[in-house]
Every structure is written in C-alpha cells, then in structure tokens.
Amino acid sequence: LLHAQSEPDLIVGGVGLTPLVLIAYCLQPAIVEELFYRYLALDSLRTVMSPWAAILLSSLMFGLAHVGVPLSIPILCVVGVALAWARVASGSLILPMVLHGLHNLCVVLWQ
C-alpha cells in the first residue's frame, strides 16, 4: 500500500544466527520487556483500573515503544494484548516471556 521496502538487518545478515544474536534479539528483549510491560506496567495499572483496560493500555504502551518501525505498531499492540492476557491468565511471567522469545525468534528467522 505504501510501497515501503523492507531493509535487511545488517547484523543478522552479516554474521548469521550466532548464539549472541539469539540472546540479543530473542532472549534479552523477552525478559526485559516482559518485566517492564507485563510486571511493572500491567500490574500497576490493574490496581487502578479493570483487568481488560489495563491489558489494553499496557499493550498500547508496548506497541508504541516500537516506534522505530512504525508499520509494526498495530500488530505489536495485538501481540501485546496476547502477552498481557497470558500474564493475567497464568499469573506468571514465564509464559509471556517464552511466547515473546518465540515471537522474536520467528521474526529473526523470517528476515
């Protein structure tokens, strides 16, 4: 629609899928972002609003945090809803961390 060209990731394309790339692209963001968006933000918001409102607001925050790739914001908001729901339903951060890491791995492998 916008005729935007996707640019390949120079790190992944240059060095390939090394353990360091997998840690930097898949593991670290899954841990850090889940601690912030699903533990700190979501749990704080749940104390002052309904669970679904907190899920939607924290998911919007998650999507907007990825403003460096603006066309991905809507889909990342949807991913954020799924991860937040996994956090609320499981009562744990492990499930959303694993799902987030798997999502990032799929994105890296797709590039």
Side-chain angles (χ1 to χ4, degrees):
L1 191 61
L2 298 175
H3 305 290
Q5 295 293 325
S6 175
E7 294 184 20
D9 188 306
L10 297 176
I11 294 172
V12 175
V15 298
L17 284 180
T18 65
L20 188 56
V21 167
L22 291 175
I23 289 169
Y25 279 60
C26 302
L27 184 62
Q28 182 270 340
I31 293 170
V32 172
E33 290 180 2
E34 291 309 308
L35 283 171
F36 181 77
Y37 292 104
R38 258 54 81 185
Y39 178 71
L40 183 63
L42 176 62
D43 288 358
S44 296
L45 290 169
R46 287 174 61 195
T47 64
V48 295
M49 59 182 60
S50 72
W52 276 107
I55 286 172
L56 293 175
L57 184 55
S58 66
S59 299
L60 180 62
M61 292 167 55
F62 177 73
L64 291 173
H66 296 85
V67 72
V69 188
L71 295 177
S72 70
I73 291 173
I75 191 66
L76 288 174
C77 287
V78 173
V79 170
V81 168
L83 294 171
W85 182 83
R87 162 75 169 127
V88 171
S90 71
S92 170
L93 281 173
I94 299 299
L95 180 59
M97 282 182 181
V98 168
L99 293 174
H100 193 152
L102 289 172
H103 170 265
N104 289 356
L105 179 63
C106 290
V107 170
V108 167
L109 293 175
W110 189 37
Q111 288 185 354

